[in-house]
Amino acid sequence: MGDSLDYSRAEAFQDYVREFAEELFIEMFYGFRTADLATIHEGIKGEKIFTQLEVADNLARRWAKSFDPVAAASFKPRKLKTVLNKVDFSIVPSEYESSYLGMFRKKGQSVQDWPFQAFIMEKVMAQLKQEFEVAAWQGVEESTPSAGDYLRQTFDGYLQIIADALTAGDITAVSTGALTTSNIIAKLRDMWAAVDTVYKENGIDIFVPYAIYDMYRIAYKDAYKIDPAFLQVTNAGYNGIQYELGGGNAIMIPVNGMGSSGRVVMTPRANLTLGIDSPSDVQFNVEQEVRELKFWMDFRMGAQIMLQKDGILVVNDQA
Amino acid sequence: MANKPQQKAPDTDLLVQDPEQTPITNEELLALHTSQGEVIARQDAEIAELKDMIRMLTSGKSKPAKRAAGGTIVQVCNEEYRVVHGIRHEGRKLSIEEIAADPDLCAALVASGSTALEQQ
């Protein structure tokens, strides 16, 4: 039989990882839902400063012979920081033989099409993608780092960044209170009123947890006796629904990573960014110890919201 | 030379002998060791679960340094709250000071679970 039955050899896994390094990297760091929406910056080791240029208002004025300059532009630094994290796990391949064989027989595939290495890596990827999704939104950086911290404790996710922006006075939350099926349509209209007209015209996304997404759909159907129109959000088939206001380019997107948060976030998806390391610096390594295979990977990850100001980042006052 | 007293061959089945108690056999001791191992493993799992729960419950409270020390303290229903950020309410933008100056609004925001007020 082929290599796939020689699953106790670390070399087989190493060969698989090297051969499919690019696919694994893309699947892991670009394959979770929020990565499909956000802007991803590769090669961030530590911190990268992005500078926002803000042009002043009222540049043009009535003519007068005197030269009266105004401060035409200001530069605001926005820091995207990535934090070093790791994945360590070990398996004893013989413990998974029966489930692997059962799965590929069900799939009708041959060993060459779906080797044991792929079976293991698929499971690992699925778990990692879910952890990345949660960390991107719900991450809260520990004030005192410790070795036992999980990924979601190593950097601030979008919800914490928003909370910090509120406290700093960079943005102002719209007071909605707890959202319910009976008030959600009205409360979202209140929030919509705070969105800058430029973004109402250019398009804006409304990120909500699934509970609020379902709440809105129920309220919409009850009010208008019709389903809101589904829109494909990304090429990966991620769907959202068209928001009732705006020029047809305001999309409500349910996000698994927001968990049970009550926060509604109205901002263009390009405003959400993720920082990761270079592909060449991220690779699974495999070592064998007797019957055990040990996997390890080091990687970097961080999140940031680029423009944090009223009108472009509109949120409600629920955690 | 005097003969050494004959020594009785050790009874390998008796590992522990307390003269006041019935001797424990090797099999019994092994069974006891195994059962203790199961208990210890179960307790380890419970401890890990509780640690996770504690970590989850305290994760939101682990960043006092990043939260603003500013804001204004108000009393709502004899509880202390800090107004930590402004809000947009009924079309008006209200600052921390304006919110703190309106007790009815503070009470309404507390009742609605607003993040503008943090219990101290």
Side-chain angles (χ1 to χ4, degrees), chain A residues 9-19 283 285-287:
Chain A
R9 289 171 52 222
E11 291 81 9
F13 275 90
Q14 286 166 352
D15 288 344
Y16 177 84
V17 167
R18 285 195 200 102
E19 183 178 347
Q283 188 155 336
N285 297 281
V286 185
E287 296 165 13

Side-chain angles (χ1 to χ4, degrees), chain A:
Chain A
M1 290 215 60
D3 273 352
S4 61
L5 285 187
D6 202 5
Y7 44 70
S8 63
R9 289 171 52 222
E11 291 81 9
F13 275 90
Q14 286 166 352
D15 288 344
Y16 177 84
V17 167
R18 285 195 200 102
E19 183 178 347
F20 296 103
E22 190 176 345
E23 287 86 344
L24 290 172
F25 178 86
I26 291 171
E27 175 65 20
M28 196 156 42
F29 292 104
Y30 289 84
F32 61 103
R33 283 300 174 89
T34 294
D36 223 0
L37 300 166
T39 305
I40 297 186
H41 296 273
E42 287 185 13
I44 310 275
K45 295 186 190 296
E47 294 178 356
K48 183 172 180 178
I49 306 294
F50 292 85
T51 305
Q52 290 170 226
L53 169 63
E54 292 190 4
V55 180
D57 289 335
N58 300 320
L59 285 181
R61 291 169 290 162
R62 187 188 300 277
W63 183 87
K65 66 179 179 182
S66 58
F67 178 69
D68 306 308
V70 297
S74 62
F75 297 90
K76 288 197 173 181
R78 188 67 65 198
K79 188 164 48 177
L80 174 56
K81 185 177 84 166
T82 61
V83 181
L84 189 60
N85 279 271
K86 67 171 184 175
V87 176
D88 294 338
F89 69 94
S90 62
I91 62 165
V92 176
S94 56
E95 290 180 338
Y96 297 92
E97 178 187 1
S98 56
S99 51
Y100 162 64
L101 292 174
M103 282 296 288
F104 92 68
R105 281 181 190 135
K106 200 187 296 184
K107 282 180 180 247
Q109 292 175 316
S110 71
V111 158
Q112 283 72 28
D113 289 337
W114 196 50
F116 181 70
Q117 298 89 315
F119 169 69
I120 295 296
M121 294 308 293
E122 273 182 21
K123 300 284 185 193
V124 172
M125 290 294 162
Q127 175 61 26
L128 282 178
K129 286 194 297 187
Q130 177 59 19
E131 291 186 19
F132 290 173
E133 176 73 22
V134 169
W137 284 93
Q138 299 179 51
V140 179
E141 183 183 2
E142 291 287 333
S143 51
T144 308
S146 72
D149 289 343
Y150 300 130
L151 174 67
R152 60 183 180 271
Q153 296 169 286
T154 62
F155 66 90
D156 287 338
Y158 300 131
L159 293 177
Q160 183 60 42
I161 291 169
I162 287 168
D164 291 339
L166 287 169
T167 307
D170 293 338
I171 57 173
T172 307
V174 176
S175 171
T176 63
L179 295 171
T180 64
T181 313
S182 56
N183 72 14
I184 188 166
I185 292 179
K187 295 299 183 184
L188 288 184
R189 288 174 183 170
D190 289 342
M191 291 183 69
W192 181 258
V195 174
D196 196 289
T197 49
V198 170
Y199 299 104
K200 287 180 181 176
E201 183 176 63
N202 293 342
I204 198 163
D205 298 298
I206 304 171
F207 299 98
V208 294
Y210 266 93
I212 292 180
Y213 178 69
D214 291 340
M215 206 184 283
Y216 178 77
R217 290 187 62 203
I218 291 169
Y220 190 98
K221 285 200 269 192
D222 289 349
Y224 306 118
K225 311 302 178 195
I226 191 171
D227 261 326
F230 278 105
L231 292 174
Q232 187 167 328
V233 177
T234 68
N235 291 334
Y238 196 171
N239 283 339
I241 55 176
Q242 187 174 315
Y243 180 57
E244 59 168 352
L245 301 178
N249 53 5
I251 304 175
M252 181 178 287
I253 303 174
V255 178
N256 178 30
M258 293 177 87
S260 59
S261 171
R263 193 79 79 183
V264 174
V265 181
M266 292 186 178
T267 195
R269 71 190 73 159
N271 203 20
L272 305 178
T273 61
L274 288 169
I276 57 176
D277 208 339
S278 309
S280 56
D281 292 331
V282 179
Q283 188 155 336
F284 266 110
N285 297 281
V286 185
E287 296 165 13
Q288 183 169 355
E289 187 175 320
V290 194
R291 296 185 187 83
E292 199 175 355
L293 288 178
K294 298 186 175 184
F295 294 79
W296 62 273
M297 179 183 77
D298 295 342
F299 66 98
R300 289 186 162 274
M301 183 166 276
Q304 184 57 277
I305 300 176
M306 284 297 151
L307 290 175
Q308 298 177 20
K309 53 188 294 190
D310 287 338
I312 185 171
L313 179 60
V314 177
V315 301
N316 63 335
D317 66 340
Q318 298 294 298

